[in-house]
Amino acid sequence: MPATRQTHATDYYPEPAAANVVRIVPLGGAEEVGRNMFAVEVGATGDILVLDAGFQFVSEEGSPGVDYILPNTRYLEKNQARVRGVIITHGHLDHIGGIPFLLPRFGTPPIYTQRLTSVMIQRRQEEFPDVPKPEMIEVEIGQTVTIGSTRVKFFPVTHSIPDSMGVSIETPQGNVVITGDLKLEHDGTTPSEREQKTWGDLGKDKNIFFIADSTNAERDGFSIPEKRVNDTLENIIQTVKGRLIIGTFASQFERMVRIIQVAEKLGKKVVTEGRSIRNNIEIAQLTGLLKMDKGTIIPAQEIGDYPPDKILILTTGAQGEEFAALMRIATNQHKHITLNSRDTVVLSSSVIPGNENSVQRLKDNLYRHDVTLIHYRSSDVHSTGHGNAGELIWINQQVGATFFMPYYGYHSMLRCHARAAEQAGFPRDHIVIPDNGLVIDVEDGERLNVHKQKVPSSQMIVDGFTIGDIQEVVIRDRQSLAKDGMFVIVVSVNMKTGKLRKSPDIMSRGFIYLRESQGLLNEARLLIKKTVEDSTRNMNPIDLDYVKNNLADAVAGFLFARTNKAPLVLPMVIGM
Amino acid sequence: MPATRQTHATDYYPEPAAANVVRIVPLGGAEEVGRNMFAVEVGATGDILVLDAGFQFVSEEGSPGVDYILPNTRYLEKNQARVRGVIITHGHLDHIGGIPFLLPRFGTPPIYTQRLTSVMIQRRQEEFPDVPKPEMIEVEIGQTVTIGSTRVKFFPVTHSIPDSMGVSIETPQGNVVITGDLKLEHDGTTPSEREQKTWGDLGKDKNIFFIADSTNAERDGFSIPEKRVNDTLENIIQTVKGRLIIGTFASQFERMVRIIQVAEKLGKKVVTEGRSIRNNIEIAQLTGLLKMDKGTIIPAQEIGDYPPDKILILTTGAQGEEFAALMRIATNQHKHITLNSRDTVVLSSSVIPGNENSVQRLKDNLYRHDVTLIHYRSSDVHSTGHGNAGELIWINQQVGATFFMPYYGYHSMLRCHARAAEQAGFPRDHIVIPDNGLVIDVEDGERLNVHKQKVPSSQMIVDGFTIGDIQEVVIRDRQSLAKDGMFVIVVSVNMKTGKLRKSPDIMSRGFIYLRESQGLLNEARLLIKKTVEDSTRNMNPIDLDYVKNNLADAVAGFLFARTNKAPLVLPMVIGM
């Protein structure tokens, strides 16, 4: 696994925090949704604790070919000896996805997390057999654990995956409270008793710094409670006449469990489609989240053995992913499932920004079969895992910390979260809106000191097997290749006479359709010959680099004038 | 302008419609939003009328480098002699954008349209000096015009650009009514008197076929009335304390006019940013839509001469386009405008699907300046130009046609429009949900005959100067280049000995960062040498194609194993 590491002389690494300082350093997730990771450095103990190690999916458009974006770990590498552990708040990929890539870079410290998250991390680790396995320390809600010399306690939060937790890190100056991703369990306006208890208890501590989810801070009020989604889905499962196909995220454990249980109660058979759904159902059984009869899940080829209203198909691909099960079903590529007008399809998910076009394609293909389609815009079949501003403010007030940092989200979300808190009475100068790499010191639990310089925070990428700082030149070339393709010229020049030894060779891809452009090619060949021979005339010795540059300019200009496209022109001049 | 034309032996072109037949042929816009164009062939007169000639913007991801997608005009080319005119319903690019590319392909027939649309078309035509200018015939609302031997009348519709019109084509069997893009003017539940009059009058005709906008058919009820948007904007302009920056679409003529008039009334100066806004304000003045004092619009460099609350900046770029004015302002690249926390920015537009990420970048950059941001999710500062299902059904019932074709939109939109009509009582078997290329005959005004075969309807693209059928192989290469780049190998082989004459040359772009991969390159060179010399051993004569194929396979396999990337491997073997 070749890793590109660049250390710049100008990189900033602060001295270790003094004993009266608690330091917070966001490394990712403060300027985006995804690649969540930050460090808490407790000056009094010298310990550094890392919270989460996620990655971010990237759009093909912005960074073609790049698989994932990772947080920058150079600050942790530099301080590796003091990193005591990584706490993972829950099992979503934007919190665990970076583990195999990142942890080896700073000594693979032990991971502290709950049962389900631990199983998910270990499953995923199997895909990376060459990467050292971190020690897994399973913690429980309510437990207090000492990591290094720092005491840490865990509390339950409501999110779209079980075993989600918040974290409170104890320091001599007071506690640092971290929500992880969360929403509230509520009835529309009032948090449940369970939430009141959790947050009420937390509020009794002396909390100096509060770090909270901002993903839905731009939305007012309270989010749709998951209970309403479950009720809606249960009602659909009960009343739909024909076959029912439900597309959802495999990470929605509780929803999947609920759907399977309701189906079982109604004597329906469940067909599961998609590796991640099968995988997560297995994990749900393994961890005791799902108990069901042996015969409830049937293979797709047995669909015909049951009446349509006894069939429920649970599938991945509600985002319109090209090769996912639901798209294959919609486009008649599934061996055993063909849609018809008596089928009902539920898309139990929202549309992730950037996926609008693929979801549109999915909907169009589904409607081609005249199915009934139910989605989150038409019915409450999905709820977010992130609380709206109303929930966030309620939580903030319960915790009652001295300082507040909105985190987890794009800058606009953090900004709106900060404004909402301010409007609810949180003093403006006690709020820090972070960037990645920002170093925030809380001194004596009562003064904020934000360092002027940032620690390294440029994105690191996973590109094939390569992990490293993003190579802008490579990405730029890809973007240019994507737009107009390329045009390679190979000429052999007689170094004595400066004449071409044969007609130039041309290779082109992604530019224009060459078979139908013979005229253009012939003109290009003439131009190449002329350019080379004009350049070499009276030149002694022949400077091939000069010839090459002339050639690139002449051909690029010619192609642009004739086609209005600017392919990457790559001349190779071989002297003989 | 090299045009790629392919005619396939299997292409379907129906015989001209019989005298008792009215034929509808959608050529674009029936499976997408954009590239609107369809033909109405009146059997009794032999005339073919074309409705609109739009293009569709495409996402970089799906078709990298392609500029626009156009409807397929081969059916019109084949029947060029009978095409009597092109009717343009309004001036948006998805209705006029294809004109310079498409009309010359079928004889550049005259264009019938209203004043503003005509000016916009002619302005745009100036960008294409080599393209023949179509004859422009300006029509007026209420007028009946004879095109060929067919009588056509025009009626006003409400849309987000002035001079939008619907069309009623008279035939001996009854009228074909086309809405163009539209919504209703209404107070929330009741259409205005003007709408009642227009549609009531239309309903008195014998209408056999109704073609209607489906863009918002997936939304229930009535859309937000434009009046509410204007009131909201007026209120913001009046009450905002500091500078006001409004980002909107330049095509929103009436909204721009309203904003300028309100600003003028309040003694504010208006700064316009963006070529399309300046251009359209000029058109608005030219056509009498906008009258204002000379000093109302000031250049950006005079901003400092006025107090902040007397400044209103009207700008393009609310979709986050990288080089548009608003993004330049947000990223401190504007010479005269620097944002600060006393500024208010209004994004008076919705987010076009596919633009979510760029709008997010825009919002983040704006919030960096701590501005107050108002957008369509937080306030009624934008309204769609397309009616919701409630409006569409009301219109449908007023027209009272025998047959109905939902049109203008993705398949899912047409399907939902059809279902809404059916639920409102329209007989299911009198509704046609079209695809592009479908040939729909109405016989004697009372029987529907949908042809089994479709006329050519594959997308045509504008790619640089090339217009033609999409070359899938070129697009595929671009996608592959975008993902993993390319790897060109040039080897010179001694045709007698089969040995390499020198170390192989390698050129690569968009793959990995070569400067940091010297080890990999050296290994690749050894592998290339070995593969060539193994392939040519005992071969006589040497088959260079065979060597080339071996080389491509060996190198591709090696690179994938080492990097997990699959660049396009292009070997060139030169025999000497």
Side-chain angles (χ1 to χ4, degrees):
Chain A
M1 206 182 263
T4 314
R5 294 195 194 205
Q6 294 181 325
T7 310
H8 302 287
T10 53
D11 278 352
Y12 173 64
Y13 300 101
E15 292 296 307
N20 68 330
V21 165
V22 177
R23 176 172 293 163
I24 318 289
V25 187
L27 300 170
E31 300 173 45
E32 58 264 311
V33 168
R35 65 173 191 127
N36 297 299
M37 182 180 233
F38 65 94
V40 178
E41 184 175 340
V42 182
T45 59
D47 296 333
I48 295 178
L49 308 184
V50 178
L51 272 288
D52 292 324
F55 67 41
Q56 183 188 6
F57 290 98
V58 289
S59 74
E60 277 298 308
E61 214 174 315
S63 306
V66 170
D67 303 318
Y68 315 114
I69 299 180
L70 299 171
N72 192 312
T73 52
R74 269 193 258 143
Y75 162 76
L76 299 174
E77 294 162 31
K78 196 84 174 181
N79 292 291
Q80 178 172 327
R82 294 192 293 129
V83 177
R84 308 292 178 206
V86 178
I87 300 166
I88 303 288
T89 57
H90 64 282
H92 284 157
L93 285 169
D94 53 339
H95 295 254
I96 70 168
I99 291 174
F101 306 110
L102 298 175
L103 266 57
R105 298 174 76 93
F106 52 96
T108 313
I111 290 179
Y112 295 79
T113 194
Q114 286 192 82
R115 174 84 185 130
L116 175 68
T117 316
S118 170
V119 172
M120 291 183 76
I121 292 170
Q122 290 175 72
R123 280 264 171 150
R124 191 148 183 283
Q125 208 74 16
E126 289 165 16
E127 296 169 30
F128 301 87
D130 300 334
V131 169
K133 284 188 180 34
E135 183 192 353
M136 302 299 304
I137 298 166
E138 282 178 23
V139 301
E140 275 174 34
I141 286 309
Q143 202 183 346
T144 300
V145 171
T146 304
I147 306 179
S149 317
T150 307
R151 284 163 53 88
V152 179
K153 61 180 178 181
F154 307 102
F155 57 92
V157 300
T158 305
H159 188 44
S160 45
I161 185 167
D163 283 6
S164 293
M165 65 185 194
V167 180
S168 179
I169 298 172
E170 297 181 15
T171 83
Q173 291 83 30
N175 296 3
V176 177
V177 178
I178 299 129
T179 65
D181 285 355
L182 88 173
K183 62 192 293 192
L184 284 179
E185 189 184 68
H186 65 88
D187 65 5
T189 51
T190 315
S192 69
E193 274 180 37
R194 198 155 63 97
E195 300 279 10
Q196 306 224 14
K197 171 93 176 65
T198 300
W199 296 103
D201 284 352
L202 262 175
K204 291 174 191 152
D205 295 335
K206 184 189 176 198
N207 298 317
I208 54 168
F209 203 84
F210 179 52
I211 300 172
D213 184 6
S214 307
T215 313
N216 273 335
E218 292 181 75
R219 292 167 203 241
D220 289 335
F222 278 50
S223 61
I224 299 174
E226 187 69 16
K227 190 181 177 316
R228 199 188 305 163
V229 175
N230 284 336
D231 291 349
T232 307
L233 285 175
E234 189 165 339
N235 185 38
I236 291 171
I237 299 171
Q238 276 181 353
T239 54
V240 148
K241 293 274 178 283
R243 281 193 305 194
L244 181 59
I245 296 100
I246 302 181
T248 191
F249 299 116
S251 58
Q252 294 276 9
F253 276 87
E254 276 158 304
R255 198 177 295 169
M256 284 200 303
V257 165
R258 190 93 194 95
I259 288 169
I260 293 171
Q261 285 170 340
V262 172
E264 191 175 80
K265 203 175 66 185
L266 296 167
K268 298 201 185 206
K269 298 297 175 187
V270 177
V271 176
T272 55
E273 288 291 322
R275 196 173 65 95
S276 56
I277 284 210
R278 287 204 194 104
N279 200 16
N280 284 358
I281 287 178
E282 221 178 289
I283 292 176
Q285 289 183 285
L286 204 70
T287 52
L289 286 167
L290 173 63
K291 290 180 190 26
M292 64 173 166
D293 296 340
K294 249 197 176 155
T296 298
I297 291 187
I298 61 164
Q301 55 264 38
E302 290 177 16
I303 279 187
D305 302 347
Y306 301 88
D309 64 347
K310 291 293 173 203
I311 293 292
L312 188 154
I313 300 165
L314 197 58
T315 175
T316 54
Q319 296 295 311
E321 301 94 326
E322 194 178 347
F323 301 107
L326 190 53
M327 189 61 107
R328 285 191 292 112
I329 294 171
T331 53
N332 296 323
Q333 293 173 64
H334 194 286
K335 220 171 146 185
H336 303 290
I337 306 174
T338 312
L339 295 175
N340 64 58
S341 64
R342 293 175 307 282
D343 291 333
T344 299
V345 179
V346 177
L347 301 181
S348 177
S349 67
S350 59
V351 180
I352 295 173
N355 288 353
E356 289 73 14
N357 289 327
S358 56
V359 172
Q360 181 63 52
R361 274 194 294 277
L362 175 65
K363 282 168 60 183
D364 286 347
N365 281 310
L366 290 169
Y367 271 125
R368 292 273 169 195
H369 302 278
D370 202 12
V371 302
T372 300
L373 188 61
I374 302 172
H375 51 83
Y376 81 110
R377 279 192 192 279
S378 62
S379 179
D380 286 337
V381 291
H382 176 72
S383 165
T384 167
H386 306 271
N388 288 4
E391 294 158 76
L392 298 173
I393 292 312
W394 183 87
I395 292 170
N396 197 319
Q397 289 173 332
Q398 300 296 309
V399 174
T402 314
F403 299 103
F404 165 53
M405 178 176 100
Y407 179 62
Y408 303 113
Y410 284 101
H411 186 73
S412 71
M413 299 166 184
L414 311 192
R415 184 72 68 167
C416 289
H417 196 173
R419 285 196 187 164
E422 205 184 321
Q423 276 162 17
F426 209 102
R428 183 176 189 142
D429 56 356
H430 281 210
I431 301 175
V432 202
I433 301 179
D435 281 340
N436 296 321
L438 202 66
V439 179
I440 303 149
D441 286 353
V442 184
E443 297 171 347
D444 298 317
E446 54 192 31
R447 287 182 315 279
L448 217 48
N449 173 22
V450 176
H451 293 217
K452 286 205 180 64
Q453 282 182 281
K454 291 179 191 169
V455 302
S457 61
S458 62
Q459 297 177 340
M460 296 206 307
I461 59 166
V462 180
D463 184 11
F465 287 148
T466 305
I467 305 162
D469 294 299
I470 203 154
Q471 294 294 357
E472 282 186 25
V473 56
V474 174
I475 300 295
R476 244 191 344 260
D477 280 343
R478 282 184 197 162
Q479 284 168 335
S480 149
L481 288 166
K483 229 169 113 52
D484 295 330
M486 55 147 206
F487 196 86
V488 177
I489 307 155
V490 182
V491 289
S492 317
V493 178
N494 184 320
M495 292 299 277
K496 294 207 188 100
T497 63
K499 299 282 178 198
L500 259 58
R501 292 180 61 112
K502 56 193 283 283
S503 177
D505 289 300
I506 290 173
M507 268 188 302
S508 173
R509 290 287 190 284
F511 166 46
I512 54 170
Y513 195 52
L514 289 192
R515 288 202 192 167
E516 296 182 358
S517 316
Q518 290 305 329
L520 187 82
L521 283 185
N522 289 337
E523 281 182 70
R525 285 204 181 87
L526 287 177
L527 175 74
I528 293 165
K529 185 169 156 56
K530 186 170 180 316
T531 307
V532 172
E533 298 184 351
D534 284 358
S535 306
T536 56
R537 186 166 302 139
N538 301 327
M539 183 190 265
N540 192 355
I542 290 172
D543 176 350
L544 289 183
D545 276 340
Y546 173 79
V547 174
K548 214 168 108 177
N549 286 340
N550 277 357
L551 201 51
D553 289 349
V555 173
F558 166 74
L559 295 178
F560 187 75
R562 288 294 304 278
T563 65
N564 207 25
K565 306 285 294 177
L568 212 55
V569 174
L570 299 171
M572 187 172 277
V573 182
I574 305 173
M576 299 273 171
Chain B
M1 205 181 268
T4 314
R5 293 197 195 203
Q6 294 180 325
T7 311
H8 301 286
T10 53
D11 278 354
Y12 173 65
Y13 300 102
E15 292 296 307
N20 67 331
V21 166
V22 177
R23 176 172 291 163
I24 318 290
V25 187
L27 299 170
E31 301 173 45
E32 59 264 310
V33 168
R35 66 173 191 126
N36 297 299
M37 182 180 235
F38 66 94
V40 178
E41 184 174 342
V42 182
T45 60
D47 295 334
I48 295 178
L49 308 183
V50 178
L51 273 286
D52 292 325
F55 67 41
Q56 183 188 5
F57 291 97
V58 287
S59 75
E60 278 296 308
E61 214 175 314
S63 307
V66 169
D67 302 319
Y68 316 113
I69 299 180
L70 300 170
N72 192 310
T73 52
R74 269 193 258 145
Y75 161 79
L76 298 175
E77 294 162 29
K78 196 85 173 181
N79 292 291
Q80 178 172 328
R82 295 191 293 128
V83 177
R84 307 295 178 204
V86 178
I87 301 167
I88 303 288
T89 57
H90 64 282
H92 284 158
L93 285 169
D94 53 338
H95 295 254
I96 71 168
I99 290 173
F101 307 109
L102 298 175
L103 265 58
R105 298 173 76 93
F106 53 95
T108 313
I111 289 179
Y112 295 80
T113 196
Q114 288 193 81
R115 175 82 185 131
L116 174 69
T117 317
S118 170
V119 172
M120 292 183 76
I121 293 169
Q122 290 175 72
R123 279 265 172 146
R124 191 148 182 283
Q125 208 72 18
E126 289 165 15
E127 296 169 29
F128 302 86
D130 299 335
V131 169
K133 284 189 180 37
E135 184 193 353
M136 301 299 304
I137 299 166
E138 282 177 23
V139 301
E140 278 174 31
I141 285 310
Q143 201 182 348
T144 300
V145 170
T146 304
I147 306 179
S149 317
T150 306
R151 284 164 53 90
V152 178
K153 61 181 179 181
F154 308 100
F155 56 91
V157 299
T158 306
H159 187 46
S160 44
I161 184 167
D163 283 7
S164 293
M165 66 185 191
V167 180
S168 179
I169 299 172
E170 296 181 14
T171 83
Q173 291 81 32
N175 296 3
V176 177
V177 177
I178 300 127
T179 64
D181 285 354
L182 88 175
K183 63 192 291 191
L184 284 179
E185 188 184 69
H186 64 90
D187 65 5
T189 51
T190 315
S192 68
E193 274 180 38
R194 199 156 61 99
E195 299 279 10
Q196 305 226 14
K197 171 95 176 65
T198 300
W199 295 103
D201 284 353
L202 263 176
K204 291 175 191 151
D205 295 336
K206 184 190 175 200
N207 299 318
I208 55 167
F209 202 85
F210 180 52
I211 300 172
D213 183 6
S214 307
T215 312
N216 274 336
E218 293 181 73
R219 292 167 202 239
D220 290 334
F222 278 51
S223 61
I224 300 173
E226 186 69 15
K227 190 181 176 316
R228 198 186 309 161
V229 175
N230 284 335
D231 291 349
T232 307
L233 285 174
E234 189 165 339
N235 184 39
I236 292 171
I237 299 172
Q238 275 182 354
T239 55
V240 150
K241 293 276 178 279
R243 280 192 308 193
L244 180 60
I245 296 101
I246 302 181
T248 190
F249 299 117
S251 59
Q252 295 275 10
F253 275 87
E254 277 156 306
R255 198 177 296 169
M256 283 200 303
V257 166
R258 190 92 195 97
I259 288 169
I260 294 171
Q261 285 170 339
V262 172
E264 191 175 81
K265 203 176 67 187
L266 296 167
K268 299 201 184 206
K269 297 298 177 187
V270 177
V271 176
T272 55
E273 287 293 323
R275 196 174 64 96
S276 56
I277 283 208
R278 287 202 194 105
N279 200 14
N280 285 357
I281 287 178
E282 221 178 289
I283 291 176
Q285 289 184 286
L286 204 70
T287 53
L289 286 167
L290 172 64
K291 289 179 188 31
M292 62 173 169
D293 295 342
K294 251 200 174 151
T296 298
I297 291 186
I298 61 163
Q301 55 264 38
E302 290 178 15
I303 277 187
D305 301 349
Y306 301 87
D309 65 346
K310 290 292 173 204
I311 293 292
L312 187 155
I313 300 166
L314 197 58
T315 175
T316 54
Q319 296 295 312
E321 301 94 325
E322 192 177 348
F323 301 108
L326 190 51
M327 189 62 107
R328 284 191 292 113
I329 294 171
T331 53
N332 296 323
Q333 294 174 62
H334 194 286
K335 218 170 148 185
H336 303 291
I337 306 174
T338 310
L339 295 175
N340 63 59
S341 63
R342 293 175 307 281
D343 291 333
T344 300
V345 180
V346 177
L347 301 181
S348 175
S349 68
S350 58
V351 180
I352 294 172
N355 288 353
E356 290 72 14
N357 289 325
S358 56
V359 172
Q360 180 63 52
R361 274 193 294 277
L362 175 65
K363 281 167 61 183
D364 286 347
N365 281 309
L366 289 170
Y367 271 124
R368 292 271 168 197
H369 303 276
D370 202 11
V371 302
T372 300
L373 188 61
I374 301 173
H375 52 82
Y376 81 111
R377 280 192 193 278
S378 61
S379 178
D380 286 337
V381 291
H382 177 71
S383 165
T384 167
H386 306 271
N388 287 5
E391 293 159 78
L392 299 173
I393 293 311
W394 183 87
I395 292 170
N396 197 319
Q397 288 172 334
Q398 300 296 307
V399 173
T402 314
F403 300 103
F404 165 52
M405 179 177 99
Y407 179 62
Y408 303 112
Y410 284 101
H411 186 73
S412 71
M413 299 165 184
L414 311 192
R415 183 73 68 167
C416 289
H417 196 172
R419 286 197 187 163
E422 206 186 319
Q423 276 161 17
F426 209 102
R428 183 175 188 145
D429 57 356
H430 281 210
I431 301 174
V432 203
I433 300 179
D435 280 340
N436 296 321
L438 202 66
V439 179
I440 303 149
D441 285 355
V442 184
E443 298 171 347
D444 298 317
E446 53 192 32
R447 287 182 314 281
L448 218 48
N449 173 23
V450 176
H451 293 218
K452 287 204 178 64
Q453 283 182 281
K454 291 178 190 172
V455 302
S457 61
S458 62
Q459 297 177 340
M460 296 206 307
I461 59 166
V462 180
D463 184 13
F465 287 148
T466 305
I467 305 163
D469 295 299
I470 202 154
Q471 294 294 357
E472 283 186 24
V473 55
V474 174
I475 300 296
R476 245 192 342 261
D477 280 343
R478 282 185 197 161
Q479 285 167 335
S480 149
L481 288 166
K483 231 170 112 47
D484 295 329
M486 55 149 208
F487 196 86
V488 176
I489 307 155
V490 182
V491 290
S492 318
V493 178
N494 184 319
M495 290 300 276
K496 293 208 188 98
T497 63
K499 300 281 177 200
L500 259 57
R501 291 181 61 112
K502 57 195 280 285
S503 177
D505 288 301
I506 289 172
M507 268 188 303
S508 175
R509 289 287 190 284
F511 165 47
I512 53 171
Y513 196 51
L514 289 192
R515 287 202 194 166
E516 296 184 358
S517 317
Q518 290 305 329
L520 187 83
L521 282 185
N522 289 337
E523 281 181 71
R525 285 204 182 86
L526 287 178
L527 174 75
I528 293 165
K529 185 168 159 54
K530 185 171 179 318
T531 307
V532 172
E533 298 184 351
D534 285 357
S535 305
T536 55
R537 185 165 304 138
N538 302 325
M539 184 189 264
N540 191 355
I542 290 172
D543 177 350
L544 289 182
D545 277 339
Y546 173 79
V547 174
K548 212 168 111 177
N549 287 340
N550 278 358
L551 202 50
D553 289 349
V555 173
F558 165 76
L559 295 178
F560 187 75
R562 288 295 304 277
T563 65
N564 206 26
K565 306 284 293 176
L568 212 56
V569 175
L570 300 170
M572 188 172 274
V573 182
I574 304 172
M576 298 269 172

